[in-house]
């Protein structure tokens, strides 16, 4: 049986009733959801930003006095079609039109909010991630970052689940992961200016009199290679994936900072922040995402155990 990691997910709360908002907050606290709020005039701006989300809780009367609850749903669907929307209806509200049901994942009343539990498990937390995998990714990524950045402290937030497809920053790397239990990709995403500043201020191993974008590409590429290599050594056996390997197109829309892997599966996300100990360089934020869109069989997952003989041969162990 897989030791399941207890992950969380951020959800956008669009609610105009304080009483209902408190009930929704309690529900979120009990179901591994972190609620964030936005005023009605800022909703579209938030949804077009880099805020990563797992879903949206929307009140039937939010922002427009209940005149047309589905108008905002349609706008949200145009901007972030991948996010599940949970629509709160008043107990005495008229029945929604049949054609509107496809726009949201579940309608509910505040009195029966508990009916959302299985829906959330199906939409936001649909994939089980082994605890050893989640813990191990954090460890190997921190080690890789610490090896490539000098005099900078690395902190990692608690891993979480996202369903959006938004790209953070101007620079990202993409590398495939293949084994008998998973097939997909790892991404690292960051902003160019903070990374450039770290290179310019001698916080990396790059030696250059005129730093340009090629140098920061090299830094992020090297971190990606180190994490990928450690991931393979720790989690992927030397057995090749069995059967015929399928592929799906990856779509990147730079204008909208959007990337799609051809599946509706949620993504496992890690946020790493590098802080300069001297304070001379602005903090550098790196987002790391995993999408197992081609194969996901966590029941076959296991960490590779190093043999004692191998440790003797490599010199890592010696006889006492």
């Amino acid at each position: 049986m897989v030791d399941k990691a207890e992950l969380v997910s951020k959800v956008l709360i669009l609610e105009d009733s304080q009483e209902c908002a408190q009930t929704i907050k309690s529900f979120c606290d009990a179901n591994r959801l972190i609620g964030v709020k936005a005023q009605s005039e800022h909703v579209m701006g938030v949804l077009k930003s880099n805020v990563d989300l797992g879903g949206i809780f929307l009140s039937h009367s939010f922002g427009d006095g209940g005149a047309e609850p589905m108008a905002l749903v349609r706008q949200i669907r145009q901007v972030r079609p991948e996010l599940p929307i949970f629509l709160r209806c008043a107990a005495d509200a008229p029945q929604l039109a049949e054609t509107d049901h496809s726009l949201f994942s579940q309608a509910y009343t505040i009195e029966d909010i508990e009916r959302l539990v299985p829906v959330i498990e199906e939409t936001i937390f649909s994939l089980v991630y082994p605890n050893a995998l989640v813990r191990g990714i954090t460890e190997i990524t921190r080690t890789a970052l610490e090896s490539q950045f000098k005099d900078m402290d690395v902190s990692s937030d608690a891993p979480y689940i996202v369903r959006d497809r938004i790209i953070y920053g101007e620079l990202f790397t993409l590398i495939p992961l293949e084994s008998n239990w998973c097939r997909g990709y790892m991404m690292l995403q960051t902003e160019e200016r903070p990374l450039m500043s770290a290179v310019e201020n001698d916080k990396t191993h790059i030696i250059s009199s005129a730093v340009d974008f090629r140098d920061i590409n090299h830094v992020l590429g090297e971190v990606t290679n180190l994490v990928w290599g450690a991931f393979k050594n720790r989690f992927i056996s030397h057995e090749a994936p069995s059967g015929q390997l399928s592929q799906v197109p990856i779509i990147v829309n730079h204008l909208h900072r959007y990337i799609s892997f051809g599946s509706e599966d949620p993504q496992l996300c890690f946020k790493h922040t590098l802080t300069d100990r001297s304070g001379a360089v602005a903090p550098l934020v790196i987002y790391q995402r995993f999408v197992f869109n081609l194969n996901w069989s966590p029941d076959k997952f296991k960490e590779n155990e190093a043999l004692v003989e191998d440790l003797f041969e490599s010199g890592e162990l010696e006889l006492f």
Side-chain angles (χ1 to χ4, degrees):
M1 183 177 179
V2 175
D3 180 15
K4 178 182 177 181
E6 291 296 315
L7 302 175
V8 298
S9 180
K10 286 200 290 290
V11 291
L12 183 62
I13 310 297
L14 305 178
E15 177 58 61
D16 45 14
S17 165
Q18 290 299 318
E19 183 179 352
C20 292
Q22 189 56 48
T23 300
I24 294 172
K25 183 182 186 306
S26 299
F27 176 83
C28 289
D29 292 342
N31 290 278
R32 297 179 287 138
L33 300 174
I34 300 173
V36 294
K37 298 189 298 182
Q39 300 299 323
S40 58
E41 64 269 24
H42 300 310
V43 170
M44 288 301 113
V46 169
L47 292 175
K48 292 176 182 178
S49 71
N50 288 325
V51 176
D52 42 45
L53 297 168
I56 298 174
F57 282 70
L58 174 63
S59 165
H60 65 98
S61 58
F62 180 79
D64 65 357
E68 178 50 68
M70 300 312 296
L72 183 55
V73 176
R74 294 187 184 95
Q75 291 179 359
I76 293 172
R77 273 278 162 260
Q78 290 178 351
V79 178
R80 302 287 280 272
E82 70 276 7
L83 294 179
I85 299 174
F86 310 108
L87 181 66
R88 182 181 72 79
C89 299
D92 57 352
Q95 196 75 12
L96 292 169
E98 193 66 32
T99 54
D100 290 335
H101 282 277
S102 62
L103 296 174
F104 53 87
S105 296
Q106 182 68 57
Y108 71 101
T109 63
I110 200 65
E111 292 78 16
D112 67 352
I113 191 172
E114 291 300 322
R115 69 184 296 190
L116 294 182
V117 173
V119 183
I120 286 170
E121 290 297 324
E122 180 182 348
T123 55
I124 298 179
F125 299 111
S126 58
L127 298 184
V128 173
Y129 296 96
N131 187 54
L133 172 66
V134 174
R135 184 187 66 249
I137 288 172
T138 301
E139 292 173 357
I140 63 181
T141 305
R142 284 174 59 92
T143 299
L145 291 171
E146 289 168 349
S147 73
Q148 296 303 301
F149 291 89
K150 301 181 293 183
D151 302 318
M152 298 188 78
D153 294 321
V154 181
S155 62
S156 302
D157 291 1
Y160 55 99
I161 298 298
V162 297
R163 289 193 64 91
D164 60 44
R165 306 290 182 258
I166 300 299
I167 296 171
Y168 174 82
E170 302 83 17
L171 181 63
F172 78 92
T173 60
L174 185 67
I175 195 166
L177 302 169
E178 294 190 352
S179 77
N180 61 339
W181 61 269
C182 75
R183 287 186 66 226
Y185 298 88
M186 179 186 76
M187 290 180 290
L188 294 183
Q189 306 175 357
T190 192
E191 294 177 304
E192 181 177 272
R193 185 59 251 172
L195 183 54
M196 182 78 78
S197 179
V199 176
E200 290 172 340
N201 285 273
D202 194 32
K203 298 300 179 181
T204 69
H205 300 290
I206 295 292
I207 300 175
S208 177
S209 57
V211 177
D212 63 16
F213 74 92
R214 296 172 183 82
D215 295 310
I216 64 173
N217 289 352
H218 176 78
V219 173
L220 197 63
E222 186 63 23
V223 172
T224 304
N225 276 327
L226 288 172
V227 176
W228 177 71
F231 186 98
K232 287 204 308 176
N233 290 336
R234 185 161 176 171
F235 301 123
I236 295 180
S237 67
H238 298 298
E239 299 177 7
S242 58
Q244 186 175 1
L245 302 182
S246 60
Q247 293 288 348
V248 295
I250 297 174
I251 300 173
V252 179
N253 188 319
H254 294 286
L255 179 62
H256 296 281
R257 305 191 310 279
Y258 176 91
I259 183 169
S260 172
F261 293 87
S263 79
E264 297 300 317
D265 294 332
Q267 298 175 11
L268 178 61
C269 187
F270 300 78
K271 178 184 177 182
H272 309 282
T273 304
L274 292 89
T275 307
D276 178 25
R277 293 168 191 162
S278 69
V281 176
L284 170 64
V285 176
I286 296 178
Y287 283 91
Q288 179 184 35
R289 289 193 179 194
F290 291 82
V291 52
F292 300 108
N293 59 317
L294 298 173
N295 177 38
W296 181 243
S297 304
D299 53 308
K300 298 179 181 178
F301 165 84
K302 66 177 181 178
E303 290 189 79
N304 295 329
E305 298 180 0
L307 298 175
V308 174
E309 299 91 294
D310 295 336
L311 296 178
F312 276 119
E313 291 180 8
S314 66
E316 295 178 60
L317 274 182
E318 296 179 1
L319 289 174
F320 182 66

